[in-house]
Coordinates of all heavy atoms in Angstrom, one line a residue:
L1 N -6.2 5.2 28.0 CA -6.9 5.0 26.8 C -6.0 5.3 25.6 O -5.3 6.3 25.7 CB -8.1 5.9 26.7 CG -9.3 5.6 27.6 CD1 -10.4 6.6 27.5 CD2 -9.9 4.2 27.2
S2 N -6.2 4.6 24.6 CA -5.4 4.9 23.4 C -6.3 5.4 22.3 O -7.5 5.2 22.3 CB -4.7 3.6 22.9 OG -5.7 2.7 22.3
P3 N -5.7 6.1 21.3 CA -6.6 6.6 20.2 C -7.3 5.5 19.5 O -8.5 5.7 19.1 CB -5.5 7.3 19.3 CG -4.4 7.7 20.2 CD -4.3 6.6 21.2
R4 N -6.7 4.4 19.4 CA -7.4 3.3 18.7 C -8.6 2.8 19.4 O -9.7 2.6 18.9 CB -6.4 2.1 18.5 CG -7.0 0.9 17.8 CD -6.0 -0.3 17.7 NE -5.6 -0.7 19.0 CZ -6.3 -1.6 19.8 NH1 -7.5 -2.0 19.5 NH2 -5.8 -1.9 21.0
L5 N -8.5 2.7 20.8 CA -9.6 2.3 21.6 C -10.8 3.3 21.6 O -11.9 3.0 21.5 CB -9.2 2.0 23.0 CG -8.3 0.8 23.2 CD1 -7.8 0.7 24.6 CD2 -9.0 -0.5 22.8
I6 N -10.4 4.6 21.6 CA -11.4 5.6 21.5 C -12.1 5.6 20.2 O -13.4 5.7 20.2 CB -10.8 7.0 21.8 CG1 -10.2 7.1 23.2 CG2 -11.8 8.1 21.5 CD1 -9.4 8.3 23.5
L7 N -11.4 5.5 19.1 CA -12.0 5.4 17.8 C -12.9 4.2 17.7 O -14.0 4.4 17.2 CB -10.9 5.3 16.7 CG -10.1 6.5 16.4 CD1 -9.0 6.2 15.5 CD2 -11.0 7.5 15.7
E8 N -12.5 3.1 18.1 CA -13.3 1.9 18.1 C -14.6 2.1 18.8 O -15.7 1.7 18.4 CB -12.6 0.7 18.6 CG -11.5 0.2 17.7 CD -10.6 -0.9 18.3 OE1 -10.9 -1.3 19.5 OE2 -9.7 -1.4 17.6
E9 N -14.5 2.7 20.0 CA -15.7 2.9 20.8 C -16.7 3.9 20.1 O -17.9 3.7 20.0 CB -15.3 3.5 22.1 CG -16.4 3.7 23.1 CD -16.9 2.4 23.8 OE1 -16.2 1.4 23.7 OE2 -18.0 2.4 24.4
V10 N -16.2 4.9 19.5 CA -17.0 5.9 18.8 C -17.7 5.3 17.6 O -18.9 5.4 17.4 CB -16.1 7.1 18.3 CG1 -16.9 8.0 17.3 CG2 -15.7 8.0 19.5
Y11 N -16.9 4.7 16.7 CA -17.6 4.2 15.5 C -18.4 2.9 15.7 O -19.4 2.7 15.0 CB -16.6 4.0 14.3 CG -15.5 3.0 14.4 CD1 -15.7 1.6 14.4 CD2 -14.2 3.5 14.4 CE1 -14.6 0.8 14.5 CE2 -13.1 2.6 14.5 CZ -13.4 1.2 14.5 OH -12.3 0.4 14.6
E12 N -18.1 2.1 16.7 CA -19.0 1.0 17.0 C -20.3 1.4 17.6 O -21.4 0.8 17.3 CB -18.3 0.0 17.9 CG -17.2 -0.8 17.2 CD -16.5 -1.7 18.2 OE1 -16.9 -1.9 19.3 OE2 -15.4 -2.3 17.7
K13 N -20.3 2.5 18.4 CA -21.6 2.9 19.1 C -22.4 3.9 18.2 O -23.6 4.0 18.4 CB -21.3 3.5 20.4 CG -20.8 2.5 21.4 CD -20.8 3.1 22.8 CE -20.5 1.9 23.7 NZ -20.8 2.2 25.1
L14 N -21.7 4.7 17.3 CA -22.4 5.7 16.6 C -22.5 5.6 15.1 O -23.3 6.3 14.5 CB -21.7 7.1 16.9 CG -21.6 7.5 18.4 CD1 -20.8 8.8 18.5 CD2 -23.0 7.8 18.9
C15 N -21.8 4.6 14.5 CA -21.8 4.5 13.1 C -22.4 3.2 12.6 O -22.0 2.1 13.1 CB -20.4 4.7 12.5 SG -19.7 6.3 12.9
G16 N -23.2 3.2 11.6 CA -23.7 2.0 11.0 C -25.2 2.0 10.8 O -25.9 3.0 11.0
V17 N -25.7 0.9 10.4 CA -27.2 0.7 10.2 C -27.9 1.0 11.6 O -27.5 0.5 12.6 CB -27.5 -0.7 9.7 CG1 -29.0 -0.9 9.5 CG2 -26.8 -0.9 8.4
D18 N -29.0 1.8 11.5 CA -29.8 2.1 12.6 C -29.0 2.9 13.7 O -29.4 2.8 14.9 CB -30.5 0.9 13.2 CG -31.4 0.2 12.3 OD1 -32.1 0.9 11.5 OD2 -31.6 -1.0 12.3
K19 N -28.0 3.5 13.3 CA -27.2 4.4 14.3 C -27.2 5.8 13.7 O -27.5 6.0 12.6 CB -25.8 3.8 14.5 CG -25.8 2.5 15.1 CD -24.5 1.9 15.4 CE -24.6 0.6 16.1 NZ -23.3 -0.1 16.2
P20 N -26.9 6.8 14.6 CA -27.1 8.2 14.1 C -26.2 8.6 12.9 O -26.5 9.5 12.2 CB -26.7 9.0 15.4 CG -26.4 8.1 16.5 CD -26.5 6.7 15.9
F21 N -25.0 7.9 12.7 CA -24.1 8.4 11.7 C -23.7 7.2 10.8 O -23.6 6.1 11.3 CB -22.9 9.0 12.3 CG -23.2 10.2 13.2 CD1 -23.2 10.0 14.6 CD2 -23.6 11.4 12.7 CE1 -23.5 11.1 15.4 CE2 -23.9 12.5 13.5 CZ -23.8 12.3 14.9
E22 N -23.3 7.5 9.6 CA -22.8 6.5 8.7 C -21.3 6.4 8.9 O -20.8 5.3 8.9 CB -23.0 6.9 7.2 CG -22.6 5.9 6.2 CD -22.9 6.3 4.8 OE1 -23.8 7.1 4.6 OE2 -22.1 5.9 3.9
K23 N -20.6 7.5 9.1 CA -19.1 7.5 9.2 C -18.7 8.6 10.2 O -19.5 9.5 10.5 CB -18.4 7.8 7.9 CG -18.6 6.7 6.9 CD -17.9 7.1 5.6 CE -18.3 6.2 4.5 NZ -17.3 5.4 4.0
V24 N -17.5 8.5 10.7 CA -16.9 9.6 11.5 C -15.7 10.1 10.6 O -14.9 9.4 10.1 CB -16.3 9.0 12.8 CG1 -15.6 10.1 13.6 CG2 -17.4 8.4 13.6
L25 N -15.7 11.4 10.5 CA -14.7 12.1 9.8 C -13.7 12.8 10.8 O -14.2 13.7 11.5 CB -15.3 13.1 8.8 CG -14.3 14.0 8.1 CD1 -13.4 13.2 7.2 CD2 -15.0 15.1 7.3
F26 N -12.5 12.5 10.7 CA -11.5 13.1 11.6 C -10.6 14.0 10.7 O -10.1 13.6 9.7 CB -10.6 12.1 12.3 CG -11.3 11.2 13.2 CD1 -11.8 10.0 12.8 CD2 -11.4 11.6 14.5 CE1 -12.5 9.2 13.7 CE2 -12.1 10.8 15.4 CZ -12.7 9.7 15.0
I27 N -10.6 15.3 11.1 CA -9.7 16.3 10.3 C -8.6 16.7 11.2 O -8.8 17.2 12.3 CB -10.6 17.5 9.9 CG1 -11.7 17.1 9.0 CG2 -9.7 18.5 9.2 CD1 -12.7 18.2 8.6
F28 N -7.4 16.4 10.7 CA -6.2 16.7 11.5 C -5.4 17.8 10.8 O -4.7 17.6 9.8 CB -5.3 15.4 11.6 CG -4.3 15.4 12.6 CD1 -4.0 14.3 13.4 CD2 -3.5 16.5 12.9 CE1 -3.1 14.2 14.4 CE2 -2.5 16.5 13.9 CZ -2.3 15.4 14.6
D29 N -5.5 19.0 11.3 CA -4.8 20.2 10.7 C -3.5 20.3 11.3 O -3.3 20.0 12.5 CB -5.7 21.4 10.8 CG -5.2 22.6 10.0 OD1 -4.4 22.4 9.0 OD2 -5.6 23.7 10.2
E30 N -2.5 20.8 10.6 CA -1.2 21.0 11.1 C -0.5 19.7 11.6 O 0.2 19.7 12.6 CB -1.2 22.1 12.2 CG -1.6 23.5 11.8 CD -0.5 24.2 10.9 OE1 0.6 23.7 10.8 OE2 -0.8 25.2 10.4
M31 N -0.7 18.7 10.8 CA -0.1 17.4 11.2 C 1.4 17.5 11.2 O 2.1 16.9 12.0 CB -0.5 16.3 10.2 CG 0.1 15.0 10.6 SD -0.4 13.6 9.5 CE -1.7 12.9 10.5
G32 N 2.0 18.3 10.3 CA 3.5 18.5 10.2 C 4.0 19.0 11.5 O 5.0 18.6 12.0
R33 N 3.3 20.0 12.0 CA 3.7 20.7 13.3 C 3.7 19.7 14.4 O 4.5 19.6 15.3 CB 2.9 21.9 13.6 CG 3.0 23.0 12.6 CD 3.7 24.1 13.2 NE 3.7 25.2 12.3 CZ 4.8 25.9 12.0 NH1 5.9 25.7 12.7 NH2 4.7 26.9 11.2
Y34 N 2.6 18.9 14.4 CA 2.4 17.9 15.5 C 3.6 16.8 15.4 O 4.1 16.4 16.4 CB 1.1 17.2 15.4 CG 0.9 16.1 16.4 CD1 0.7 16.4 17.8 CD2 1.0 14.8 16.1 CE1 0.6 15.5 18.8 CE2 0.9 13.8 17.1 CZ 0.7 14.1 18.4 OH 0.6 13.2 19.3
L35 N 3.9 16.4 14.2 CA 4.9 15.4 14.0 C 6.3 16.0 14.4 O 7.1 15.3 15.0 CB 5.0 14.9 12.6 CG 3.8 14.1 12.1 CD1 3.9 13.8 10.6 CD2 3.7 12.8 13.0
E36 N 6.5 17.3 14.1 CA 7.8 17.9 14.6 C 7.8 17.9 16.1 O 8.8 17.6 16.7 CB 7.8 19.4 14.1 CG 8.1 19.5 12.7 CD 8.1 21.0 12.2 OE1 8.0 21.9 13.1 OE2 8.1 21.2 11.0
W37 N 6.7 18.3 16.8 CA 6.7 18.3 18.2 C 6.9 16.9 18.8 O 7.6 16.7 19.8 CB 5.4 18.9 18.7 CG 5.2 18.8 20.2 CD1 5.7 19.6 21.1 CD2 4.5 17.8 20.9 NE1 5.4 19.2 22.4 CE2 4.6 18.0 22.3 CE3 3.8 16.6 20.5 CZ2 4.1 17.2 23.3 CZ3 3.2 15.8 21.5 CH2 3.4 16.1 22.8
L38 N 6.2 15.9 18.2 CA 6.4 14.6 18.6 C 7.8 14.1 18.6 O 8.3 13.4 19.5 CB 5.5 13.7 17.8 CG 5.1 12.3 18.3 CD1 4.4 12.4 19.6 CD2 4.3 11.6 17.2
G39 N 8.5 14.5 17.5 CA 9.9 14.1 17.4 C 10.8 14.8 18.4 O 11.9 14.2 18.8
E40 N 10.5 16.0 18.8 CA 11.3 16.7 19.7 C 11.0 16.5 21.2 O 11.8 16.7 22.1 CB 11.1 18.2 19.5 CG 11.6 18.7 18.1 CD 11.2 20.1 17.8 OE1 10.5 20.7 18.5 OE2 11.6 20.5 16.7
S41 N 9.8 16.0 21.5 CA 9.3 15.9 22.8 C 9.8 14.5 23.4 O 9.6 13.5 22.8 CB 7.8 15.9 22.9 OG 7.3 15.6 24.2
R42 N 10.3 14.6 24.6 CA 10.8 13.3 25.2 C 9.6 12.7 26.1 O 9.7 11.6 26.4 CB 12.0 13.6 26.1 CG 13.2 14.0 25.3 CD 14.3 14.4 26.2 NE 15.3 15.0 25.4 CZ 16.6 14.6 25.4 NH1 16.9 13.6 26.1 NH2 17.4 15.2 24.6
S43 N 8.6 13.5 26.4 CA 7.5 13.0 27.2 C 6.4 12.4 26.4 O 5.4 11.9 27.0 CB 7.0 14.1 28.1 OG 6.5 15.2 27.4
S44 N 6.4 12.6 25.1 CA 5.3 12.1 24.3 C 5.5 10.6 23.9 O 6.6 10.1 23.8 CB 5.0 13.0 23.1 OG 6.2 12.9 22.3
D45 N 4.4 10.0 23.6 CA 4.4 8.6 23.1 C 4.4 8.6 21.6 O 3.4 8.9 21.0 CB 3.2 7.8 23.7 CG 3.2 6.4 23.3 OD1 4.1 5.9 22.6 OD2 2.2 5.7 23.7
P46 N 5.5 8.2 21.0 CA 5.5 8.2 19.5 C 4.5 7.2 18.8 O 4.2 7.3 17.7 CB 6.9 7.9 19.1 CG 7.5 7.2 20.4 CD 6.7 7.7 21.5
S47 N 4.0 6.3 19.6 CA 3.1 5.3 19.0 C 1.7 5.8 18.9 O 0.8 5.2 18.3 CB 3.0 4.0 19.9 OG 2.4 4.2 21.1
I48 N 1.4 7.0 19.3 CA 0.1 7.6 19.3 C -0.4 7.7 17.8 O -1.5 7.4 17.5 CB 0.0 9.0 19.9 CG1 0.1 8.9 21.4 CG2 -1.2 9.8 19.5 CD1 0.2 10.1 22.2
M49 N 0.5 8.1 16.9 CA 0.1 8.2 15.5 C -0.2 6.8 14.9 O -1.2 6.7 14.2 CB 1.1 8.9 14.7 CG 1.3 10.4 15.0 SD -0.3 11.3 14.9 CE -0.6 11.2 13.2
Q50 N 0.6 5.8 15.3 CA 0.3 4.5 14.8 C -1.0 4.0 15.3 O -1.8 3.3 14.6 CB 1.5 3.6 15.3 CG 1.3 2.1 14.8 CD 1.4 2.0 13.3 OE1 2.2 2.7 12.6 NE2 0.7 1.1 12.7
Q51 N -1.3 4.3 16.6 CA -2.6 3.9 17.1 C -3.8 4.5 16.4 O -4.8 3.9 16.2 CB -2.6 4.2 18.6 CG -1.7 3.4 19.5 CD -1.6 3.9 20.9 OE1 -2.6 4.4 21.4 NE2 -0.4 3.8 21.5
L52 N -3.6 5.8 16.1 CA -4.6 6.5 15.4 C -4.9 5.9 14.0 O -6.0 5.6 13.6 CB -4.3 8.0 15.2 CG -5.2 8.8 14.3 CD1 -6.5 9.0 15.0 CD2 -4.6 10.2 14.1
Y53 N -3.8 5.6 13.3 CA -3.9 5.0 12.0 C -4.5 3.6 12.1 O -5.3 3.2 11.2 CB -2.6 4.9 11.2 CG -2.1 6.3 10.8 CD1 -0.8 6.7 11.1 CD2 -2.9 7.1 10.1 CE1 -0.4 7.9 10.7 CE2 -2.5 8.4 9.8 CZ -1.2 8.8 10.1 OH -0.7 10.0 9.7
E54 N -4.2 2.8 13.1 CA -4.7 1.5 13.2 C -6.2 1.5 13.5 O -7.0 0.7 13.0 CB -4.0 0.7 14.4 CG -2.7 0.3 14.0 CD -1.9 -0.4 15.2 OE1 -2.5 -0.5 16.3 OE2 -0.7 -0.7 15.0
G55 N -6.7 2.5 14.3 CA -8.1 2.7 14.6 C -8.9 3.0 13.3 O -9.9 2.5 13.1
I56 N -8.3 3.9 12.5 CA -9.0 4.2 11.2 C -9.0 3.0 10.3 O -10.0 2.6 9.7 CB -8.2 5.4 10.5 CG1 -8.2 6.6 11.4 CG2 -8.8 5.6 9.1 CD1 -9.5 7.3 11.6
K57 N -7.9 2.3 10.2 CA -7.8 1.1 9.3 C -8.7 0.0 9.7 O -9.4 -0.6 8.9 CB -6.3 0.6 9.3 CG -6.1 -0.6 8.4 CD -4.7 -1.1 8.5 CE -4.7 -1.9 9.8 NZ -3.5 -2.7 10.0
N58 N -8.9 -0.2 11.0 CA -9.7 -1.3 11.5 C -11.2 -0.9 11.5 O -12.0 -1.7 11.9 CB -9.3 -1.6 12.9 CG -7.9 -2.2 13.0 OD1 -7.4 -2.7 12.0 ND2 -7.3 -2.2 14.2
S59 N -11.6 0.3 11.1 CA -13.0 0.7 11.2 C -13.8 0.2 10.1 O -15.0 0.4 10.1 CB -13.0 2.3 11.2 OG -12.8 2.8 9.8
C60 N -13.3 -0.5 9.1 CA -14.0 -1.1 8.0 C -14.8 0.0 7.2 O -16.0 -0.2 6.9 CB -14.9 -2.2 8.4 SG -14.1 -3.6 9.1
G61 N -14.2 1.2 7.1 CA -14.8 2.3 6.4 C -15.7 3.1 7.2 O -16.3 4.1 6.7
K62 N -15.8 2.9 8.5 CA -16.7 3.7 9.3 C -16.0 5.0 9.8 O -16.6 5.9 10.3 CB -17.2 2.9 10.5 CG -18.1 1.8 10.2 CD -18.6 1.1 11.5 CE -19.5 -0.1 11.2 NZ -19.8 -0.8 12.4
A63 N -14.7 5.1 9.6 CA -13.9 6.2 10.1 C -13.0 6.7 8.9 O -12.4 5.8 8.3 CB -13.1 6.0 11.3
V64 N -12.9 8.0 8.7 CA -12.0 8.5 7.7 C -11.2 9.6 8.3 O -11.6 10.4 9.1 CB -12.9 9.1 6.6 CG1 -12.1 9.8 5.5 CG2 -13.9 8.1 6.0
L65 N -9.9 9.6 7.9 CA -9.0 10.6 8.4 C -8.5 11.5 7.2 O -8.1 11.0 6.2 CB -7.7 10.0 9.0 CG -6.6 10.9 9.4 CD1 -7.0 11.8 10.5 CD2 -5.4 10.1 9.8
I66 N -8.6 12.8 7.4 CA -8.0 13.8 6.4 C -7.0 14.6 7.2 O -7.4 15.1 8.3 CB -9.1 14.7 5.8 CG1 -10.1 13.8 5.0 CG2 -8.5 15.7 5.0 CD1 -11.3 14.7 4.5
S67 N -5.8 14.6 6.7 CA -4.8 15.4 7.4 C -4.2 16.4 6.5 O -4.1 16.2 5.3 CB -3.7 14.5 8.0 OG -3.1 13.7 7.0
F68 N -3.7 17.5 7.0 CA -3.1 18.6 6.3 C -1.8 18.9 6.8 O -1.6 18.9 8.0 CB -4.0 19.9 6.4 CG -5.4 19.7 5.9 CD1 -6.4 19.4 6.7 CD2 -5.6 19.8 4.5 CE1 -7.7 19.3 6.2 CE2 -6.9 19.7 4.0 CZ -8.0 19.4 4.9
I69 N -0.8 19.1 5.9 CA 0.5 19.5 6.2 C 0.8 20.7 5.4 O 0.7 20.6 4.1 CB 1.6 18.4 6.0 CG1 1.3 17.2 6.9 CG2 3.0 18.9 6.2 CD1 2.2 16.0 6.7
Q70 N 1.2 21.8 6.0 CA 1.5 23.0 5.2 C 3.0 23.1 5.0 O 3.8 22.8 5.9 CB 1.1 24.3 6.0 CG -0.4 24.5 6.0 CD -1.2 23.6 7.0 OE1 -0.6 23.2 8.0 NE2 -2.4 23.3 6.7
F71 N 3.3 23.4 3.7 CA 4.7 23.6 3.4 C 4.9 25.0 2.8 O 4.0 25.5 2.2 CB 5.1 22.6 2.2 CG 5.2 21.2 2.7 CD1 4.2 20.3 2.4 CD2 6.4 20.7 3.4 CE1 4.4 19.0 2.8 CE2 6.5 19.4 3.8 CZ 5.5 18.5 3.5
P72 N 6.1 25.6 3.0 CA 6.3 26.9 2.4 C 6.2 26.8 0.9 O 6.6 25.7 0.3 CB 7.7 27.2 2.8 CG 8.1 26.3 4.0 CD 7.2 25.1 3.8
L73 N 5.8 27.8 0.2 CA 5.7 27.8 -1.2 C 7.0 27.5 -1.9 O 7.0 26.8 -2.9 CB 5.2 29.2 -1.7 CG 4.6 29.2 -3.1 CD1 3.5 28.2 -3.3 CD2 4.0 30.6 -3.4
S74 N 8.1 27.9 -1.3 CA 9.4 27.6 -1.9 C 9.7 26.1 -1.9 O 10.4 25.6 -2.8 CB 10.5 28.3 -1.1 OG 10.5 27.9 0.2
T75 N 9.2 25.3 -1.0 CA 9.4 23.9 -1.0 C 8.8 23.2 -2.2 O 9.4 22.3 -2.8 CB 8.7 23.3 0.3 OG1 9.3 24.0 1.4 CG2 9.0 21.8 0.4
S76 N 7.6 23.7 -2.7 CA 7.0 23.0 -3.8 C 7.7 23.3 -5.1 O 7.6 22.6 -6.1 CB 5.5 23.5 -3.9 OG 5.5 24.8 -4.2
R77 N 8.5 24.4 -5.2 CA 9.2 24.8 -6.4 C 10.5 23.9 -6.5 O 11.1 23.9 -7.6 CB 9.6 26.2 -6.4 CG 8.3 27.1 -6.7 CD 8.7 28.5 -6.9 NE 8.3 29.2 -5.7 CZ 8.9 30.3 -5.2 NH1 10.0 30.7 -5.7 NH2 8.4 30.9 -4.1
Q78 N 10.9 23.3 -5.5 CA 12.2 22.5 -5.5 C 11.9 21.2 -6.2 O 12.9 20.5 -6.6 CB 12.7 22.2 -4.1 CG 13.1 23.5 -3.5 CD 13.6 23.3 -2.0 OE1 13.5 22.2 -1.5 NE2 13.9 24.3 -1.3
C79 N 10.7 20.7 -6.4 CA 10.5 19.4 -7.0 C 10.5 19.4 -8.5 O 10.2 20.3 -9.1 CB 9.1 18.9 -6.5 SG 9.0 18.7 -4.7

């Protein structure tokens, strides 16, 4: 199963008119750490994030993704 297929199954069965929910909200905390791990791991599939984004994009507004990346305070002062 891919993230895209799972997302499609969730929002097609659970979201919309006469269904229990209007939308599905996905909250992805520590995305930066996950991306670091994904870049370092040889056993992970780098297309997972692309599949997640495609599933959200193809949902026609039934799925929303909010992601958080934490940066050190010193990073924001460099800009």
Side-chain angles (χ1 to χ4, degrees):
L1 288 175
S2 72
R4 183 184 57 81
L5 293 174
I6 293 169
L7 285 170
E8 287 173 359
E9 187 76 13
V10 167
Y11 62 70
E12 285 178 12
K13 290 194 176 196
L14 297 176
C15 300
V17 179
D18 296 328
K19 295 183 180 171
F21 304 102
E22 182 179 333
K23 296 178 188 247
V24 176
L25 173 64
F26 294 92
I27 300 175
F28 197 138
D29 192 16
E30 294 290 350
M31 181 180 261
R33 296 249 184 223
Y34 178 73
L35 292 174
E36 285 176 12
W37 173 81
L38 197 59
E40 295 169 357
S41 175
R42 293 173 190 238
S43 62
S44 63
D45 181 2
S47 72
I48 288 175
M49 293 306 294
Q50 182 66 33
Q51 293 171 33
L52 175 65
Y53 291 130
E54 287 174 3
I56 299 289
K57 183 184 77 170
N58 295 340
S59 75
C60 298
K62 292 181 183 176
V64 178
L65 171 68
I66 297 176
S67 61
F68 299 97
I69 298 177
Q70 287 77 27
F71 289 103
L73 196 54
S74 60
T75 304
S76 64
R77 284 188 254 146
Q78 295 175 0
C79 297

